[in-house]
Amino acid sequence: MANIGFIGLGNMGGPMAENLLKAGHALKVYDLSADAVAKAVEAGATKADTVAQAVSNVNFVVTVLPAGKHVLSVYDGPDGVVANAAPGTILIDSSTIEVDAARKAADLAKAKGFGAVDAPISGGTAGAAAGTLTFMVGGSEADFASAEPILDAMGSNIIHAGDSGAGQAAKICNNMVLGVNMIAVSEAFMLAKRLGLDAQKLFDVSSKASGQCWALTSYCPVPGPVPTSPANRDYQPGFAVDMMLKDLKLAQQASAASGATTPMGALAESLYALYSNGGNGGMDFSAIVKMLDGEK
Ligand code: NAD
């Protein structure tokens, strides 16, 4: 069993840390939130007062932080992960961040001889709690092989996407598909409504026809057809509008930097920004159907 330093115990990191504890690993945990730390300590982790304490004398460091600037600030500097972890430590970053920031974090780690992977996650808070996350991993074959047993305790699909940054690239491409699809599915339901077509009937047809997609069959944006979808609980997240907006922004930044053309992704970003600016950033991202229905 491994000694792990775990930094970032939020909606995703908290339950992921608990699954590592359940698998028998020893965890030293650090977060800016005292409540988040207390919860992990209750589950069996040891409290660290600083990043340096969390990462000293461990085999692995796992970070699950909001954005690239947080990851780089936690990795870098005299009080950071890279300056304080023991030689040979494997660094696993499961935050969703810019491809460039992921490569920069990996470079900082590799310059000091650490193994490093970007390993962003898909599956939401339910997947984090159930230990069924999908990990998209960027890094060398050797670093992937080192990280895999730790990721196995938190997820059920562990995919090696390529070199450093490839995990983040897979994550933002996938979520761009999801953002665009959710808007397309929502438009179809609103058109059906105006045409007098029952929502359940559209679902019955499209879920068996060429309109079939995850946004429809697993996360239907109107109440009724999929009992577990947030539409049946007043669009409480789930996966918040502002999280989707963050991922669509990352996709557009990467698109501009790489010369790709992603007009549907750009439009999805604009529509989610509009919906967020209306005060809906905390709603589930499927609630965008309400804006398309003419609601504020
Ligand atoms: P969150 O805001 O709930 O948790 C982030 C945690 O990091 C908080 O507890 C915060 O206190 C802590 N933190 C921030 N800065 C810190 C620092 N400098 N040092 C120590 N702790 C610090 O966010 P989340 O929902 O857990 O998401 C985490 C990451 O996972 C994000 O990058 C997000 O995009 C990604 N993600 C989230 C979901 C989801 O459904 N929530 C799904 C897939 C991926």
Side-chain angles (χ1 to χ4, degrees):
M1 287 298 120
N3 289 311
I4 302 172
F6 201 107
I7 301 170
L9 301 159
N11 291 324
M12 297 300 283
M16 290 165 70
E18 287 189 24
N19 282 325
L20 289 173
L21 289 163
K22 276 185 209 150
H25 299 296
L27 258 63
K28 285 197 283 178
V29 294
Y30 177 75
D31 193 292
L32 299 179
S33 154
D35 285 353
V37 172
K39 203 163 169 235
V41 168
E42 211 171 285
T46 303
K47 175 178 182 253
D49 291 321
T50 59
V51 169
Q53 257 183 34
V55 306
S56 61
N57 299 315
V58 296
N59 315 107
F60 296 89
V61 173
V62 180
T63 42
V64 192
L65 294 164
K69 63 182 179 194
H70 305 103
V71 175
L72 289 173
S73 78
V74 161
Y75 267 43
D76 209 1
D79 302 324
V81 173
V82 169
N84 292 283
T89 307
I90 306 291
L91 312 186
I92 300 171
D93 178 41
S94 284
S95 324
T96 303
I97 66 175
E98 304 85 346
V99 174
D100 284 352
R103 290 185 179 142
K104 203 166 170 192
D107 287 346
L108 284 171
K110 287 184 215 159
K112 288 280 178 140
F114 298 116
V117 293
D118 49 296
I121 40 187
S122 175
T125 49
T132 56
L133 292 170
T134 294
F135 284 88
M136 298 145 253
V137 187
S140 69
E141 289 284 353
D143 291 349
F144 174 74
S146 301
E148 201 176 9
I150 301 303
L151 302 180
D152 263 334
M154 301 182 281
S156 44
N157 297 303
I158 322 294
I159 297 156
H160 188 198
D163 288 338
S164 296
Q168 299 295 348
K171 170 75 186 173
I172 59 177
C173 289
N174 179 74
N175 278 24
M176 186 174 73
V177 173
L178 177 59
V180 170
N181 275 358
M182 183 54 79
I183 293 167
V185 168
S186 297
E187 285 186 7
F189 275 107
M190 292 308 100
L191 175 59
K193 184 173 159 182
R194 266 66 178 182
L195 297 175
L197 173 63
D198 182 64
Q200 183 66 50
K201 293 294 175 198
L202 173 60
F203 180 87
D204 293 345
V205 170
S206 277
S207 60
K208 299 276 179 285
S210 46
Q212 192 279 329
C213 62
W214 190 90
L216 176 73
T217 52
S218 293
Y219 218 86
C220 187
V222 297
V226 177
T228 52
S229 77
N232 297 297
R233 45 170 206 267
D234 281 334
Y235 299 94
Q236 291 311 300
F239 186 54
V241 166
D242 280 348
M243 288 283 194
M244 174 52 84
L245 182 56
K246 173 193 156 187
D247 291 356
L248 289 168
K249 281 182 190 298
L250 289 175
Q252 286 310 298
Q253 282 165 16
S255 182
S258 66
T261 47
T262 50
M264 300 302 287
L267 190 52
E269 184 206 345
S270 294
L271 288 167
Y272 273 105
L274 185 61
Y275 194 49
S276 175
N277 285 341
N280 301 301
M283 301 288 281
D284 186 78
F285 82 111
S286 60
I288 199 154
V289 71
K290 297 213 263 182
M291 185 174 80
L292 296 166
D293 198 23
E295 278 185 41
K296 276 198 190 159

